[in-house]
Amino acid sequence: MPGYELWSDKERKEVNDVLETGILMRYGFDGPRKGIWKSKELETAICETFGCQYAQLTSSGTSALTTAMSALGIGYGDEVITPSFTFVASFEAVLSVGAIPVLVDIDDTLTLSPEAVLKAITPKTKAVMPVHMCGSMADMDALITICKEHNLILLEDACQSIGGSYKGKSLGTIGDAGTFSFDFVKTMTCAEGGVVMTNREDVYIKSDGYTDHGHDHKGADRGADLHPFIGYNYRISELHAAVGLAQIKRLTEFLSLQKKNHGLLKDMLAKIPEISFRRVPDPAGDSCSFISWFLPTAELTKAVVAEMKAQGILPGNFYWFDNNWHYIRKWDHLKNSITLNALHPEVKAQVMQQANKDFAASDAVMSRCISTSISLLWTEEQIQEKGEKMVNAVRKVLAEQSVSL
Ligand SMILES: *Cc1c(COP(=O)(O)O)cnc(C)c1O
């Protein structure tokens, strides 16, 4: 999954270019920077690599989501439909612009269930935000149709699916806007960083200003810039962008390793008839950062997790159902709407109401799901050994459970 595994001289060289001039900021200092513009170069490379018209780098994937929402005009009074299975950053960003996260069920794609989205639409719904979890995609055709019919914004949280695609288009470039995270554990990293991608000029211009205190970036003199609206500082630094620039040039290499390792391990797991796999709406577009697999029941899944733990082979396997960060079940801070700054009482009540709904349909999927993250460093022998151990652990549990029936 993560680009940090293959840290190399290429990253060191790009960072060193910046260290040589000492100009660590992405804007201004035109003379002393001696033609080194890592952030601009990375934005151009993102547009070329993923096929979008505009890219605005940010300090993180979370700030990219916040920026995209602001640029799309999402705020007070608006509801944003988003899945019950995602990283906490997705709802954090919705809250940061004053809107209400309307969490809805996922299906066997591990992403937004289009039927659940339809049921959740109200006159206040402003946007649908699918999250392409664990390297693979939401059913985009269904979501695009819903958004068109109901005149809703489509914002893709593609933070976990860099390099994935849907019917030939890169994930994150299909909706009104999309975001990647370049944090340390993502498919390519800047250490910390993110990007807003869009084909809408208005969204790009607003994102550009918003991430830099509202600067309009029209003149050569930063100090003389006007501020047509209030912004924040969500800038990336040149040092971070330099790391990303080296990584994006290696992305094809990362993805091909990921696909190869994913294929080898998946073939081994597929030999067990009781195991099924996540539904992938466009299998050719899976970035293959994880294999997400199901057992027939929650009990069997819990027993397999326990067995893998006992055998010391659990690391790298995620049982999201019991995980604190990625699934609604453990988001007590959201369910109780615990914030450090007071929310408007109406917003607070709605946040709590949404987070405390019934998610039985999601539970039925997530309680049977294990995701195995794919390392870029594995040798074929290691994959063989890992696969055999996993298969044996599953077979052992299946045998024990059928005996006990
Ligand atoms: C990582 C991630 C983010 C946030 O990215 P950061 O760069 O860590 O702020 C947002 N959404 C999802 C689904 C993520 O996995």
Side-chain angles (χ1 to χ4, degrees):
M1 178 196 185
Y4 79 77
E5 291 180 318
L6 295 174
W7 183 257
S8 74
D9 279 348
K10 293 176 179 143
E11 284 76 5
R12 278 187 281 272
K13 191 247 162 217
E14 296 289 346
V15 173
N16 207 47
D17 288 348
V18 179
L19 293 176
E20 289 293 332
T21 66
I23 304 303
L24 311 184
M25 186 183 182
R26 69 162 300 178
Y27 296 115
F29 303 92
D30 294 24
R33 70 189 316 133
K34 299 191 179 126
I36 308 265
W37 299 90
K38 297 298 181 190
S39 308
K40 281 189 198 212
E41 248 192 275
L42 179 53
E43 284 167 349
T44 305
I46 288 169
C47 291
E48 283 168 1
T49 305
F50 302 104
C52 56
Q53 258 178 294
Y54 306 100
Q56 177 63 46
L57 285 168
T58 59
S59 53
S60 71
T62 312
S63 62
L65 284 171
T66 297
T67 299
M69 283 185 221
S70 293
L72 289 161
I74 299 168
Y76 170 72
D78 296 331
E79 295 177 352
V80 178
I81 297 178
T82 191
S84 59
F85 174 50
T86 180
F87 181 55
V88 289
S90 309
F91 68 72
E92 289 168 1
V94 179
L95 290 172
S96 75
V97 298
I100 309 293
V102 175
L103 302 167
V104 307
D105 280 319
I106 51 118
D107 59 22
D108 59 348
T109 63
L110 303 187
T111 65
L112 275 182
S113 148
E115 285 110 79
V117 171
L118 268 180
K119 278 191 206 139
I121 293 174
T122 74
K124 289 189 168 175
T125 308
K126 177 96 170 194
V128 176
M129 181 167 72
V131 184
H132 305 300
M133 279 302 271
C134 304
S136 172
M137 80 283 321
D139 182 349
M140 292 304 285
D141 278 348
L143 296 176
I144 289 168
T145 304
I146 292 172
C147 287
K148 280 200 180 131
E149 270 171 19
H150 296 265
N151 196 22
L152 303 174
I153 291 165
L154 181 59
L155 168 60
E156 300 170 77
D157 180 342
C159 288
Q160 283 198 15
S161 57
I162 299 171
S165 61
Y166 179 77
K167 300 192 176 173
K169 287 186 184 166
S170 293
L171 300 179
T173 68
I174 301 166
D176 292 277
T179 64
F180 287 154
S181 160
F182 302 129
D183 80 20
F184 198 52
V185 295
K186 298 304 205 274
T187 305
M188 60 169 267
T189 185
C190 290
E192 299 287 355
V195 68
V196 178
M197 294 174 291
T198 183
N199 294 313
R200 282 177 51 178
E201 189 185 22
D202 60 322
V203 172
Y204 166 67
I205 290 173
K206 286 175 185 160
S207 298
D208 174 64
Y210 188 79
T211 52
D212 188 23
H213 303 291
H215 274 269
D216 67 2
H217 295 151
K218 280 189 177 151
D221 174 7
R222 220 177 130 67
D225 275 353
L226 298 178
H227 28 74
F229 51 81
I230 294 172
Y232 296 91
N233 176 3
Y234 292 144
R235 294 187 302 256
I236 195 164
S237 83
E238 284 287 277
L239 289 171
H240 293 88
V243 176
L245 192 56
Q247 292 252 307
I248 201 169
K249 293 176 186 164
R250 306 177 67 201
L251 188 61
T252 316
E253 170 200 345
F254 295 172
L255 291 169
S256 68
L257 277 173
Q258 207 161 256
K259 280 190 185 156
K260 178 169 149 257
N261 294 351
H262 180 280
L264 291 171
L265 189 60
K266 188 175 173 187
D267 285 348
M268 296 183 76
L269 293 175
K271 291 203 178 105
I272 300 185
E274 286 86 352
I275 289 181
S276 59
F277 296 93
R278 157 195 204 163
R279 180 161 60 87
V280 179
D282 176 9
D286 191 343
S287 82
C288 293
S289 53
F290 285 87
I291 302 173
S292 294
W293 44 291
F294 301 108
L295 285 150
T297 66
E299 289 65 37
L300 279 169
T301 314
K302 283 177 189 167
V304 165
V305 170
E307 180 60 33
M308 291 205 296
K309 191 169 183 188
Q311 292 189 22
I313 57 169
L314 194 59
N317 293 286
F318 297 89
Y319 186 47
W320 308 113
F321 189 65
D322 270 347
N323 164 295
N324 287 341
W325 293 94
H326 295 81
Y327 186 52
I328 178 82
R329 217 161 74 88
K330 298 276 177 86
W331 293 341
D332 289 336
H333 61 328
L334 182 70
K335 292 181 192 178
N336 296 308
S337 196
I338 298 170
T339 53
L340 296 181
N341 51 319
L343 297 181
H344 186 289
E346 173 203 330
V347 170
K348 185 172 170 121
Q350 285 176 31
V351 169
M352 289 173 68
Q353 187 214 329
Q354 290 297 336
N356 288 286
K357 290 181 303 196
D358 176 47
F359 292 98
S362 302
D363 285 348
V365 175
M366 295 311 298
S367 63
R368 297 187 299 107
C369 177
I370 298 173
S371 294
T372 306
S373 72
I374 303 300
S375 169
L376 305 179
L377 297 175
W378 290 339
T379 63
E380 289 195 22
E381 295 73 44
Q382 285 170 328
I383 296 172
Q384 191 70 26
E385 192 189 325
K386 189 179 177 67
E388 272 166 21
K389 284 184 178 162
M390 287 170 70
V391 163
N392 289 340
V394 174
R395 288 217 169 107
K396 181 168 178 238
V397 169
L398 289 170
E400 282 167 5
Q401 301 268 337
S402 67
V403 167
S404 69
L405 282 177

